[in-house]
């Protein structure tokens, strides 16, 4: 059985690239289809392969907490442990050096407090085993340590034979608390297997002590993305996800040697940054004519990496060069025409006035509708680049068809001026029923254009839309990666159990989204510490 990295996917800026860790495991339980049906020859010896006394797990005596682990995956892990030198115990004896568990709930149910108090070894997540197998060597255990501060942690869970285990709900101070009537067709509470797979050892709270490195790598991600080199862009993306979780300040590349996603060239970059405070590769890119031109063209609304590269290859180097370019779409021409307008940031007091205008106009069209200005405005910034407007209706139904009437009303008011994108799905029931409008608006009494986006969500997935469109990008990336590590896919339309797509690629959505009323419930379920909107400027 093979888990591998899904194909690179670029989303709108309200979200980030999503990837899962590459873990390669070959299972003896899976065979070629023709071989499965063929008669099996009798053999005298069907014992498993001998253990390698010098394997990467040599000297380890492990006790496996099997709760929450798929049987097929458990058998593969057992085989690999034994083949690579470990010994597996069927009970927690004094010989055991390591306990593996999926989450604290599984550990609490299997190993009593008295036994845990006497145990002197390490308790680690199964993810350590996956990452070690992937890299071909033991990765540092500190990043995977499953720590229980006290037995009181068990009080954070409700579990019985009759009830679905779930995190206790705490009152949220988030402004997204709205009246909600759960749909009878889709149960809001996740099932037991989903909860067991999701609960994490501790809240996901990366210390992010190495911003000097991750910020430079972040710039390289954008540069390679602009150049259309998704492979290199993703390599820096993977490195960032590892580095930002390290519990120490990197002083030397030797400290990260052997970590997943940190190869020789990445180690060289890290060493240069910690030694000099900069990276010559980035400095070269920032002065390269091709990179500068492509980056400039990508600032035009609607122009992506592929289009920017084509324009450069046609011999264009400035915005003036593009004024007579026939290949530009209508939206791209508008982006070019109002390039300087769009670049100007909106002062907070003006954004607040426009939010109030939008809320009143929405009430005129549909009483009770909820209109929230997200993005950097909701995060409390003093200015914002555009207006990200997230909309829903508490009854879960009357949002359908609202956006068309709303846009017309705002045009009649001379607030909306030019259309860029207008897509409705709610009445067709496609694309999760999310309606979208991107356009240009003006502050009352002015002609200066500002970018504005509307997203209208059904009430049952509104919390996900509010999270995604509030940001920031760093937080969105961390939440998505955290969801992926637990077997889910997170985006602005929901939290979906992940499945294996064609070719064994992991990460496709499967079935309906889990249902949550508030942003805080999503954070709690993923095990991420709750952040008020103004605390999300990570």
């Amino acid at each position: 059985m093979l888990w591998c990295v899904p194909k690179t996917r670029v989303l709108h800026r309200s979200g980030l690239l999503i990837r899962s860790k590459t873990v390669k495991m070959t299972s003896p339980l899976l065979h070629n289809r023709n071989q499965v049906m063929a008669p099996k020859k009798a053999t005298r010896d069907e014992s498993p392969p001998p253990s390698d006394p010098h394997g990467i797990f040599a000297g380890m005596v492990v006790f496996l907490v099997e709760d929450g682990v798929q049987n097929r995956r458990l058998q593969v892990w057992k085989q690999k442990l034994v083949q690579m030198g470990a010994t597996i115990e069927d009970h927690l004896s004094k010989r055991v050096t390591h306990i593996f568990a999926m989450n604290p709930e599984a550990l609490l149910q299997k190993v009593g407090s008295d036994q845990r108090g006497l145990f002197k070894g390490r308790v680690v997540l199964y993810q350590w085993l996956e990452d070690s197998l992937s890299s071909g060597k033991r990765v540092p255990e500190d990043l995977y340590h499953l720590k229980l501060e006290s037995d009181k942690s068990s009080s954070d869970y409700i579990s019985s034979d009759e009830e679905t285990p779930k995190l206790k709900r705490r009152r949220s101070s988030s402004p997204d608390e709205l009246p909600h009537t759960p749909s009878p067709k889709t149960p809001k509470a996740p099932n037991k297997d989903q909860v067991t797979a999701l609960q994490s050892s501790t809240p996901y709270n990366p210390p992010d002590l190495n911003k000097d490195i991750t910020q430079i790598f972040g710039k390289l991600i954008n540069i390679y993305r602009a150049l259309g080199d998704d492979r290199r862009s993703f390599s820096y993306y993977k490195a960032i996800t590892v580095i930002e979780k390290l519990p120490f300040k990197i002083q030397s590349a030797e400290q990260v040697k052997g970590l997943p996603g940190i190869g020789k060239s990445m180690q060289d970059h890290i060493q240069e940054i910690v030694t000099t405070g900069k990276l010559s590769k980035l400095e070269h890119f920032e002065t390269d004519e091709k990179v500068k031109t492509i980056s400039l063209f990508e600032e035009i609304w609607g122009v992506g990496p592929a289009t920017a590269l084509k324009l450069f290859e046609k011999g264009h180097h400035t915005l003036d060069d593009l004024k007579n370019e026939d290949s530009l779409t209508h939206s791209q021409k508008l982006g070019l025409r109002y390039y300087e307008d769009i670049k100007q940031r909106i002062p907070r007091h003006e954004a607040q006035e426009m939010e109030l205008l939008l809320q009143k106009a929405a009430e005129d069209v549909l009483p009770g509708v909820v209109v929230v200005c997200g993005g950097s405005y909701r995060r409390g910034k003093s200015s914002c680049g555009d207006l990200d407007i997230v909309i829903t209706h508490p009854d879960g139904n009357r949002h359908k068809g609202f956006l068309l009437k709303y846009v017309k009303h705002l045009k009649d008011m001379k607030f909306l001026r030019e259309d860029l994108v207008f897509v409705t799905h709610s009445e067709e029931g496609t694309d999760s029923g999310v309606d979208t409008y991107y356009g240009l608006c003006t502050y009352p009494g002015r002609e200066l254009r500002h970018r504005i986006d509307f997203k209208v969500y059904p009430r049952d997935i509104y919390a996900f839309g509010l999270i995604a469109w509030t940001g920031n990008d760093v937080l969105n990336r961390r939440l998505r990666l955290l969801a992926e590590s637990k077997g889910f896919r997170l985006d602005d339309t929901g939290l979906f159990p992940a499945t294996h797509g064609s070719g064994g690629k992991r990460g496709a959505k499967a079935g309906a989204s889990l249902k949550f009323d508030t942003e805080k419930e999503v954070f709690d379920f993923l095990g991420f510490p709750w952040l008020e909107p103004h605390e999300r400027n990570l």
Side-chain angles (χ1 to χ4, degrees):
M1 184 162 66
L2 180 68
W3 287 269
C4 61
V5 175
K7 186 177 180 180
T8 298
R9 181 178 172 211
V10 180
L11 302 178
H12 188 267
R13 64 176 178 74
S14 61
L16 289 174
L17 292 170
I18 302 305
R19 301 296 182 272
S20 57
K21 296 181 180 179
T22 301
V23 182
K24 297 184 178 179
M25 296 182 185
T26 304
S27 169
L29 304 177
L30 300 180
H31 306 274
N32 180 279
R33 290 181 181 269
N34 296 330
Q35 292 173 334
V36 170
M37 300 305 296
K40 186 176 180 181
K41 294 182 180 180
T43 59
R44 287 187 176 182
D45 184 9
E46 294 186 355
S47 60
S51 174
D52 180 0
H54 303 293
I56 63 173
F57 303 130
M60 292 179 61
V61 180
V62 303
F63 173 71
L64 305 178
V65 177
E66 300 181 1
D67 293 5
V69 186
Q70 294 178 353
N71 184 62
R72 180 178 294 175
R73 181 177 292 189
L74 181 65
Q75 297 309 314
V76 173
W77 280 339
K78 285 182 176 180
Q79 182 199 43
K80 291 297 182 182
L81 282 165
V82 173
Q83 284 181 359
M84 298 182 182
T87 301
I88 299 177
E89 292 276 88
D90 59 4
H91 63 286
L92 189 57
S93 68
K94 293 181 179 180
R95 297 180 61 241
V96 172
T97 61
H98 291 75
I99 297 176
F100 287 96
M102 285 294 290
N103 49 64
E105 185 179 63
L107 179 66
L108 290 168
Q109 292 177 348
K110 189 70 174 180
V111 183
S113 58
D114 292 341
Q115 291 176 296
R116 292 198 309 277
L118 296 174
F119 181 64
K120 303 302 181 184
R122 301 297 301 273
V123 183
V124 294
L125 294 166
Y126 277 108
Q127 187 65 43
W128 177 86
L129 180 56
E130 285 198 5
D131 290 349
S132 295
L133 288 169
S134 175
S135 62
K137 61 180 70 175
R138 290 195 200 184
V139 297
E141 296 175 6
D142 290 341
L143 301 179
Y144 306 83
H145 184 208
L146 199 163
K147 183 179 180 181
L148 293 173
E149 295 182 359
S150 70
D151 289 341
K152 291 181 181 179
S153 62
S154 62
S155 64
D156 289 336
Y157 301 89
I158 304 172
S159 181
S160 70
D161 293 335
E162 292 77 29
E163 287 188 48
T164 300
K166 55 188 176 183
L167 282 171
K168 284 184 178 178
R169 292 188 182 180
R170 295 183 293 274
R171 183 169 181 82
S172 171
S173 57
S174 171
D176 67 336
E177 291 184 347
L178 299 174
H180 177 62
T181 303
S183 169
K185 296 181 179 179
T186 308
K188 190 173 82 67
N191 63 46
K192 184 174 182 179
D193 290 339
Q194 290 169 342
V195 176
T196 303
L198 266 177
Q199 307 300 355
S200 59
S201 57
T202 56
Y204 183 83
N205 191 17
D208 205 7
L209 300 175
N210 297 285
K211 286 186 177 180
D212 54 335
I213 298 172
T214 58
Q215 287 177 353
I216 289 177
F217 283 4
K219 292 179 180 179
L220 289 172
I221 287 174
N222 293 330
I223 289 172
Y224 279 119
R225 190 184 300 167
L227 294 173
D229 192 337
D230 289 337
R231 183 183 64 82
R232 283 192 173 88
S233 176
F234 185 41
S235 68
Y236 286 100
Y237 178 85
K238 288 193 298 182
I240 286 177
T241 65
V242 174
I243 293 170
E244 73 178 4
K245 290 187 289 188
L246 294 176
F248 55 84
K249 176 75 174 174
I250 300 175
Q251 304 293 337
S252 167
E254 284 295 317
Q255 294 173 284
V256 296
K257 191 174 182 179
L259 289 179
I262 311 295
K264 180 62 170 63
S265 62
M266 207 66 70
Q267 293 172 37
D268 292 342
H269 290 343
I270 291 172
Q271 187 62 51
E272 182 180 350
I273 294 170
V274 299
T275 302
T276 67
K278 56 187 179 181
L279 185 63
S280 56
K281 184 175 188 176
L282 176 61
E283 292 182 335
H284 166 74
F285 274 135
E286 290 178 335
T287 58
D288 182 83
E289 185 65 26
K290 179 179 179 180
V291 173
K292 288 169 61 178
T293 302
I294 290 176
S295 298
L296 171 66
F297 290 167
E298 279 196 85
E299 292 179 2
I300 302 169
W301 195 93
V303 175
T307 301
L309 180 59
K310 288 179 181 178
L311 294 173
F312 174 79
E313 291 174 344
K314 282 187 173 184
H316 300 308
H317 295 277
T318 67
L319 297 180
D320 286 337
D321 293 345
L322 301 179
K323 289 183 178 179
N324 297 316
E325 176 55 51
D326 294 334
S327 67
L328 294 180
T329 66
H330 174 68
S331 294
Q332 290 167 346
K333 288 177 181 178
L334 285 173
L336 177 62
R337 178 181 175 185
Y338 293 108
Y339 174 82
E340 293 296 337
D341 283 17
I342 294 172
K343 281 186 63 178
Q344 294 195 38
R345 296 186 66 80
I346 307 170
R348 182 171 184 82
H349 71 277
E350 291 186 8
Q352 185 176 27
E353 291 175 23
M354 286 191 276
E355 182 187 38
L356 293 173
L357 179 153
L358 290 166
Q359 289 171 341
K360 184 179 184 304
E363 279 285 335
D364 293 340
V365 176
L366 177 61
V369 69
V370 178
V371 176
V372 174
C373 186
S376 53
Y377 172 78
R378 189 168 182 240
R379 299 198 308 272
K381 290 289 190 176
S382 61
S383 65
C384 51
D386 58 8
L387 300 177
D388 298 314
I389 310 300
V390 191
I391 302 169
T392 193
H393 195 282
D395 71 2
N397 185 55
R398 283 195 287 169
H399 67 282
K400 297 177 181 178
F402 165 76
L403 188 56
L404 189 63
K405 300 173 185 176
Y406 189 41
V407 167
K408 181 181 183 305
H409 184 45
L410 291 170
K411 285 182 176 179
D412 291 342
M413 296 170 59
K414 305 300 182 185
F415 179 79
L416 289 182
R417 308 299 287 270
E418 287 84 21
D419 301 334
L420 297 172
V421 173
F422 199 170
V423 182
T424 57
H425 292 285
S426 60
E427 294 178 314
E428 294 84 359
T430 57
D431 194 27
S432 300
V434 180
D435 294 340
T436 300
Y437 175 88
Y438 301 151
L440 301 176
C441 68
T442 55
Y443 182 82
R446 295 185 193 160
E447 289 299 313
L448 182 72
R449 265 48 172 186
H450 296 300
R451 280 275 299 106
I452 187 167
D453 298 338
F454 294 114
K455 281 280 188 174
V456 182
Y457 290 89
R459 179 62 189 97
D460 58 359
I461 61 172
Y462 170 69
F464 299 105
L466 201 54
I467 290 172
W469 287 84
T470 297
N472 66 6
D473 290 347
V474 174
L475 174 63
N476 285 342
R477 170 166 51 83
R478 290 183 181 177
L479 289 173
R480 290 173 186 250
L481 287 168
L482 179 59
E484 283 203 351
S485 72
K486 299 170 184 298
F488 281 72
R489 284 299 303 272
L490 174 68
D491 61 27
D492 70 314
T493 65
L495 181 66
F496 305 86
T499 184
H500 288 79
S502 59
K505 292 186 176 181
R506 182 181 175 187
K509 299 175 186 176
S513 169
L514 304 186
K515 307 299 181 184
F516 298 97
D517 286 344
T518 67
E519 295 176 278
K520 189 173 188 303
E521 289 183 19
V522 179
F523 277 64
D524 287 346
F525 191 59
L526 291 175
F528 198 102
W530 167 245
L531 300 174
E532 295 286 353
H534 69 274
E535 297 175 314
R536 301 181 195 179
N537 296 298
L538 305 185

